[in-house]
Amino acid sequence: MELIWIRHAATKGNLEKRYISLTDEKLCPEGISALLEKKVEKVYPEVDRVYSTYLNRCMETAKLLYPLQGLHILEGLEEMHFGVFEGKNFQELDGNEDYQKWIDSEAYAGMPEGESRGEFLERITRETYEFLKVCKGNKIAMIVHGGTIMAALTYLDGSGPYFSYACDNGAGFRTVIPDMTIERLRNGNLGIEDLHGCVTKIERLF
């Protein structure tokens, strides 16, 4: 099975370096233009199934890249919940003690009304495991969020640290999981920990 992980195109909040999670922004004109330029370069593989989170920025990206494909909605794979930091950027949070603790801990410290990195990793690991048990298709596009990609690939690949899987808007990774692994998973023979490091090939799309 191939999973093509693609971070949604840019929004206004992305360009302003804001922490955006559940705020349902649409793509900005600059983000759409940059995405379509890359599409012309044919960097996005053809797929037989397209999944997206329910947020507009992901659904719009999916429809721009794969307009002829049906769109299937993912639950539980949203971006890290940023709590009281939502919608703000580092300049606006400068001097905030909770924000500084969060930064100093590499996001492992909890944030008010949001998720810690540990909680986020646990959620994405669980939801990715459950998704692979039931998803359809052999070559699948996953139109999700930057943090979601980092967390999911920390779980499925694990050959590098969390931030080594960071990617720009519209960028992403191609990963391969052996069909035998998926078969064993769906037969009930693999638990959640057994999928750690199951990816046999990973490469950036560009």
Side-chain angles (χ1 to χ4, degrees):
M1 174 187 287
E2 290 188 32
L3 295 175
I4 313 301
W5 300 86
I6 302 171
R7 184 184 177 192
H8 62 80
T11 67
K12 183 174 183 288
N14 292 142
L15 297 184
E16 295 174 352
K17 308 296 184 185
R18 297 186 182 280
Y19 292 102
I20 302 296
S21 174
L22 299 181
T23 301
D24 201 8
E25 289 193 322
K26 293 181 177 293
L27 301 182
C28 63
E30 297 93 332
I32 293 172
S33 177
L35 185 77
L36 294 179
E37 285 179 12
K38 284 296 182 184
K39 183 180 179 181
V40 169
E41 295 174 14
K42 298 188 182 301
V43 300
Y44 300 108
E46 294 184 5
V47 297
D48 52 37
R49 195 86 165 178
V50 179
Y51 288 88
S52 161
T53 70
Y54 59 84
L55 292 160
N56 273 311
R57 57 193 185 272
C58 289
M59 293 193 294
E60 289 178 357
T61 300
K63 291 173 183 177
L64 287 169
L65 291 182
Y66 300 105
L68 302 181
Q69 291 273 11
L71 182 58
H72 305 274
I73 301 302
L74 295 163
E75 298 286 346
L77 290 177
E78 307 86 37
E79 180 62 272
M80 178 186 284
H81 299 166
F82 292 121
V84 297
F85 305 155
E86 180 77 13
K88 300 176 182 178
N89 60 29
F90 70 92
Q91 294 167 318
E92 294 166 344
L93 291 165
D94 186 36
N96 182 303
E97 291 185 8
D98 289 325
Y99 179 67
Q100 193 58 53
K101 289 177 183 176
W102 184 67
I103 291 295
D104 291 343
S105 72
E106 295 187 339
Y108 276 107
M111 69 185 81
E113 302 175 30
E115 289 179 302
S116 69
R117 184 164 140 193
E119 291 168 334
F120 177 56
L121 285 166
E122 182 179 352
R123 170 166 64 85
I124 298 301
T125 293
R126 180 182 66 249
E127 296 297 337
T128 300
Y129 174 75
E130 294 298 330
F131 169 77
L132 290 174
K133 287 163 65 174
V134 299
C135 64
K136 307 293 185 182
N138 293 312
K139 195 168 185 179
I140 300 169
M142 302 285 286
I143 316 298
V144 291
H145 309 268
T148 304
I149 292 173
M150 290 191 289
L153 296 186
T154 297
Y155 170 49
L156 295 176
D157 179 54
S159 63
Y162 178 79
F163 289 108
S164 69
Y165 302 108
C167 59
D168 293 334
N169 293 104
F173 294 83
R174 173 178 173 264
T175 59
V176 176
I177 300 174
D179 291 341
M180 181 62 70
T181 299
I182 298 299
E183 183 178 342
R184 291 181 63 206
L185 168 66
R186 293 175 179 176
N187 287 338
N189 295 321
L190 295 179
I192 194 167
E193 293 299 326
D194 296 318
L195 287 193
H196 180 71
C198 68
V199 163
T200 57
K201 183 175 183 179
I202 180 170
E203 59 186 16
R204 288 185 179 269
L205 295 181
F206 53 85

